[in-house]
Amino acid sequence: MSIYYDDNRKVFHLQSEKSSYIIEMIKGVIPAHVYWGPKLAGREFQHPLNLVERCSFSPTYLQEDKNISLDTLPSEFPSYGNGDFREPALEVHLVDGTTVTDFRYKSHTINKGKPALKGLPATYVESEEEAETLEIVLQDDKTGLIAALSYTVFNDQDVITRSVRIENLGKDNLVLKRVLSANVDFHDSDYDMLQLSGTWTRERHIHKRPLVPGIQRIDSKRGSSSHQQNPFMALLAKDATEDHGEVYGFSLVYSGSFLAQAEVDQYGISRVGIGIQPFNFQWLLEPGESFQAPEAVLVRSSEGLGGLSRTYHRLYRTRLCRGEFRDSKRPILINNWEATYFNFNADKIKEIAKAGKELGLELFVLDDGWFGKRDNDDSSLGDWVEDRRKLPEGLGKLGEDITAMGMEFGLWFEPEMVSPESDLYREHPDWCLHVPGHKSSLARQQLVLDLSRKDVCDYIVESVSSVLSSAPITYVKWDMNRNMTEIGSALLPAERQRETAHRYILGLYDVLERIVSRFPHILFESCSGGGGRFDPGMLYYMPQTWTSDDTDAVERLKIQYGTSMVYPASSMGAHVSAVPNHQVHRITPLETRGHVAMSGNFGYELDLTKLTKAEREDIRKQVSEYKELRMLIQYGDFYRLLSPFEGNETAWMFVSADKKEAFATYFQVLAGPNPPLRRLRLKGLDPAKSYKLELNGGVYRGDELMHFGLTLPQLEGDFRSLLFVLREV
């Protein structure tokens, strides 16, 4: 068992691999957060919360005990109105116009396994023995409202997942204004907060700041998880490093607008909450209805950020991603986007595919411009019919010709969008998100389809399925290139208009579930202008994501390093592109571009028909090398060695689960005059094993490589890199 309940003291003790999480029912009715930290061996916990009366400005919750004030109590699920003046996890607008609720313990259950969340992506188990789930039922007696708190403990990982289901068992309509998925009240505030922030082509840069009194918040109001903020935050003990110290992570399995924040109160308690963005959200809950919040994944590590990341990687790689491609090798691809943009025909596409086959590539991906009258981004989104001007024999014949070369065939879509200049929009102008009487803002000359509508979702499923059935397609790049504005739906009544954004995400998940289930042999990669929707919710349906539209090798160091804080290499699309780079116009060596891209799902995005003989030979070598290391890179344990956010160098490595094989890369951004001699200390190896370094044939013990390190040669010139492959002797 991993969840224990002390009925005498009303204490729940949740035990994961190396952690304990403890909840106490104060006076048998108030769920209080007691502890989350290193695993406590005993089942019983003998240390009650220290409750003392503070002052008259902290109201007494129970008249019979003046020591209990919600203003000072570390809470598991705070609501609004009874003396807790901090931000609540739940806020409800009642029929009498007030927002005061009082949730008290009613019952609980402890079961093996992990139930699915209806209509939402979530982590899962393949055997009931992998996890146990606690559900604590709280009820507000006045309204009949139920809050069912769910906690799943994974037995062999330091993971606890949380979610909440709200049920209206009363007689009146209620309006949910705020429903966060998880709340944890830490007993002190001596932490730094880490977040992943940026913008388009500069996603998931690492930012760290100390907690101070008040609220520190990251969020998205864009209708998607966004380029600007990722639905993840972590608290780091002041002495925490990459390899040592206490770190607590919060990751939301959701693809829409979100909120993650830490609030430090008057007594130094740090309240962390994460969930759906409350801004512009509400949900009408009629009698008998329920609302399911998305899942939050909580991870604790005493091995610093590296330990935190590897836990997330293993969980998301094996118990979030699904399908045939979860554990199988991902193909090396060539994408024509930066080679041709919209200007191509069938002959040009086949020339690039043929060149890719000669170099050892395995998959050709036809990007934007194959449908409707799509010569630029001004038209045709929604009209998923092949353009016979460019493809006179059709998409099916093109796919057959490419597969006949020995290459797989993939295709780009942007199904969630519609161009005003399209047959679909002319026929169904009300199918986009819009508010009558207000102009509709354009971005990339397109509008967002209203996926809160079943007819729109059905159209997307059937139109995409028709194309996927018409050609030998084994890969789909699913793009989404703008955020939501004028968020309204023609089918929802006035009192439900603020449900539109969340209903859109539920509709998206329904569409994805139907399509990926219908085409299990297709590898789906999600994209949103690169990494604008790189979140756990999308990984549930599509096991990899285009990491960023920025393909510059130097910029990718920070992007891929930051992304690795939560997401495994098997989820990152990474391509070698032409130089000067199309985003920053930098010229970097082909070798360096290859080493950066090899640290994810490898591919190319340039015109292979214009390469020099030397470049073709270099690419052939890169492809061959990656094929030997592919399973290690995609499914090995990842270790960060040198941070691009802290200096001129970057390094990371992958180690096989049995520690018999390792792959490391080192990058120098700018050359310096007469630089110091450097050693690169490795991580994750078996100290007792001996490893052969392929670079020079030398044999070294694991402890030497980790404590003394590899001596680095002096690299001449900017943007240089080194690759190290180690195998057990």
Side-chain angles (χ1 to χ4, degrees), residues 415-457:
E416 301 167 59
M417 302 292 151
V418 63
S419 302
E421 182 54 44
S422 67
D423 292 339
L424 180 66
Y425 184 77
R426 284 186 284 269
E427 185 176 351
H428 297 287
D430 63 330
W431 274 18
C432 64
L433 295 177
H434 68 284
V435 176
H438 289 265
K439 71 175 182 65
S440 293
S441 304
L442 292 177
R444 203 175 182 247
Q445 298 301 308
Q446 60 197 56
L447 299 167
V448 183
L449 286 173
D450 181 3
L451 270 67
S452 73
R453 298 175 56 142
K454 186 178 185 303
D455 52 357
V456 173
C457 292

Side-chain angles (χ1 to χ4, degrees), residues 339 347-356 359 606-612 616:
D347 290 340
K348 180 61 177 180
I349 293 303
K350 286 187 280 189
E351 286 177 12
I352 296 174
K354 183 175 182 291
L359 296 174
L606 43 74
D607 192 341
L608 298 176
T609 67
K610 296 181 179 180
L611 299 175
T612 66
R616 287 197 298 271

Side-chain angles (χ1 to χ4, degrees), residues 166-186:
I166 307 298
E167 299 180 15
N168 186 357
L169 302 185
K171 299 178 180 179
D172 299 318
N173 289 347
L174 303 173
V175 177
L176 304 180
K177 307 287 285 186
R178 179 188 188 99
V179 187
L180 299 188
S181 298
N183 183 93
V184 178
D185 283 359
F186 291 81

Side-chain angles (χ1 to χ4, degrees), residues 504-515:
Y504 178 102
I505 298 299
L506 295 178
L508 171 63
Y509 290 153
D510 173 65
V511 165
L512 297 181
E513 183 66 33
R514 285 194 273 167
I515 290 178

Side-chain angles (χ1 to χ4, degrees), residues 204-419:
R204 290 172 301 285
H205 281 206
I206 295 172
H207 296 269
K208 188 170 69 170
R209 49 178 161 154
L211 294 188
V212 298
I215 296 175
Q216 290 98 130
R217 169 182 295 163
I218 58 170
D219 66 357
S220 170
K221 304 178 185 72
R222 295 172 172 266
S224 72
S225 48
S226 84
H227 298 85
Q228 287 69 26
Q229 308 288 356
N230 196 260
F232 164 80
M233 64 173 287
L235 293 190
L236 288 60
K238 290 296 185 180
D239 61 349
T241 65
E242 178 66 27
D243 303 302
H244 305 285
E246 292 289 305
V247 180
Y248 300 85
F250 300 81
S251 175
L252 189 66
V253 187
Y254 188 63
S255 306
S257 298
F258 74 93
L259 169 71
Q261 66 181 28
E263 179 180 9
V264 178
D265 76 0
Q266 58 193 327
Y267 297 113
I269 291 177
S270 302
R271 169 165 293 178
V272 175
I274 189 167
I276 294 173
Q277 169 64 263
F279 178 82
N280 201 41
F281 164 85
Q282 69 179 34
W283 196 272
L284 176 61
L285 201 63
E286 297 180 355
E289 292 184 338
S290 64
F291 178 87
Q292 176 63 59
E295 179 172 88
V297 179
L298 281 55
V299 171
R300 189 201 70 87
S301 168
S302 59
E303 299 172 353
L305 287 167
L308 182 89
S309 296
R310 286 185 289 278
T311 298
Y312 274 117
H313 294 177
R314 286 192 294 271
L315 181 73
Y316 285 174
R317 191 173 60 235
T318 66
R319 292 297 180 267
L320 179 67
C321 295
R322 303 175 296 161
E324 295 180 9
F325 294 93
R326 188 190 73 177
D327 304 318
S328 62
K329 66 183 181 182
R330 311 286 173 79
I332 305 172
L333 65 82
I334 171 65
N335 182 297
N336 72 294
W337 179 240
E338 289 194 14
T340 67
Y341 293 101
F342 296 102
N343 185 25
F344 62 83
N345 56 33
D347 290 340
K348 180 61 177 180
I349 293 303
K350 286 187 280 189
E351 286 177 12
I352 296 174
K354 183 175 182 291
K357 175 60 180 177
E358 292 171 352
L359 296 174
L361 278 63
E362 300 159 327
L363 166 68
F364 175 85
V365 179
L366 178 58
D367 211 282
D368 195 356
W370 58 266
F371 56 93
K373 299 175 182 177
R374 185 81 164 169
D375 296 324
N376 51 49
D377 56 17
D378 290 343
S379 73
S380 301
L381 287 176
D383 298 343
W384 300 110
V385 180
E386 62 219 344
D387 183 353
R388 291 281 179 155
R389 298 172 304 153
K390 298 178 181 179
L391 309 177
E393 296 183 282
L395 196 62
K397 182 62 166 61
L398 176 64
E400 291 170 2
D401 290 346
I402 289 175
T403 56
M405 300 176 189
M407 292 277 278
E408 295 183 56
F409 181 54
L411 199 61
W412 177 97
F413 284 91
E414 192 171 1
E416 301 167 59
M417 302 292 151
V418 63
S419 302

Side-chain angles (χ1 to χ4, degrees), residues 6-287:
D6 183 342
D7 188 48
N8 292 324
R9 297 193 58 249
K10 309 300 182 188
V11 170
F12 296 94
H13 188 174
L14 287 62
Q15 293 181 330
S16 59
E17 183 185 28
K18 297 179 182 178
S19 301
S20 285
Y21 189 107
I22 297 173
I23 306 163
E24 180 182 355
M25 291 296 166
I26 304 299
K27 298 296 183 180
V29 295
I30 310 169
H33 180 75
V34 177
Y35 176 83
W36 185 22
K39 188 172 185 176
L40 307 177
R43 298 181 181 181
E44 293 78 21
F45 184 73
Q46 305 299 326
H47 301 274
L49 281 175
N50 184 23
L51 303 174
V52 296
E53 183 179 6
R54 289 290 189 170
C55 69
S56 62
F57 289 96
S58 294
T60 300
Y61 177 68
L62 299 175
Q63 293 301 316
E64 64 271 22
D65 192 337
K66 295 182 179 180
N67 292 331
I68 299 176
S69 172
L70 300 185
D71 188 32
T72 59
L73 188 74
S75 177
E76 273 298 303
F77 191 71
S79 58
Y80 175 76
N82 295 299
D84 189 338
F85 300 103
R86 297 162 292 181
E87 297 252 320
L90 179 68
E91 184 178 359
V92 186
H93 189 189
L94 309 182
V95 69
D96 62 5
T98 67
T99 54
V100 178
T101 52
D102 183 12
F103 285 90
R104 301 193 180 196
Y105 169 85
K106 289 297 179 183
S107 64
H108 75 272
T109 56
I110 300 174
N111 294 303
K112 288 185 176 181
K114 184 178 189 294
L117 299 186
K118 184 178 180 181
L120 287 167
T123 57
Y124 60 88
V125 296
E126 293 185 340
S127 164
E128 285 189 345
E129 304 306 316
E130 293 181 21
E132 284 191 330
T133 298
L134 164 67
E135 183 175 87
I136 299 175
V137 177
L138 311 176
Q139 185 167 15
D140 175 59
D141 288 337
K142 177 183 175 182
T143 62
L145 201 61
I146 290 287
L149 314 183
S150 177
Y151 303 76
T152 293
V153 181
F154 284 78
N155 297 328
D156 61 351
Q157 300 194 66
D158 278 324
V159 175
I160 296 174
T161 66
R162 290 190 57 179
S163 63
V164 59
R165 184 182 70 258
I166 307 298
E167 299 180 15
N168 186 357
L169 302 185
K171 299 178 180 179
D172 299 318
N173 289 347
L174 303 173
V175 177
L176 304 180
K177 307 287 285 186
R178 179 188 188 99
V179 187
L180 299 188
S181 298
N183 183 93
V184 178
D185 283 359
F186 291 81
H187 292 260
D188 62 280
S189 57
D190 199 19
Y191 298 101
D192 290 326
M193 173 177 159
L194 185 144
Q195 64 194 67
L196 303 177
S197 305
T199 185
W200 175 69
T201 66
R202 189 165 37 83
E203 300 91 337
R204 290 172 301 285
H205 281 206
I206 295 172
H207 296 269
K208 188 170 69 170
R209 49 178 161 154
L211 294 188
V212 298
I215 296 175
Q216 290 98 130
R217 169 182 295 163
I218 58 170
D219 66 357
S220 170
K221 304 178 185 72
R222 295 172 172 266
S224 72
S225 48
S226 84
H227 298 85
Q228 287 69 26
Q229 308 288 356
N230 196 260
F232 164 80
M233 64 173 287
L235 293 190
L236 288 60
K238 290 296 185 180
D239 61 349
T241 65
E242 178 66 27
D243 303 302
H244 305 285
E246 292 289 305
V247 180
Y248 300 85
F250 300 81
S251 175
L252 189 66
V253 187
Y254 188 63
S255 306
S257 298
F258 74 93
L259 169 71
Q261 66 181 28
E263 179 180 9
V264 178
D265 76 0
Q266 58 193 327
Y267 297 113
I269 291 177
S270 302
R271 169 165 293 178
V272 175
I274 189 167
I276 294 173
Q277 169 64 263
F279 178 82
N280 201 41
F281 164 85
Q282 69 179 34
W283 196 272
L284 176 61
L285 201 63
E286 297 180 355

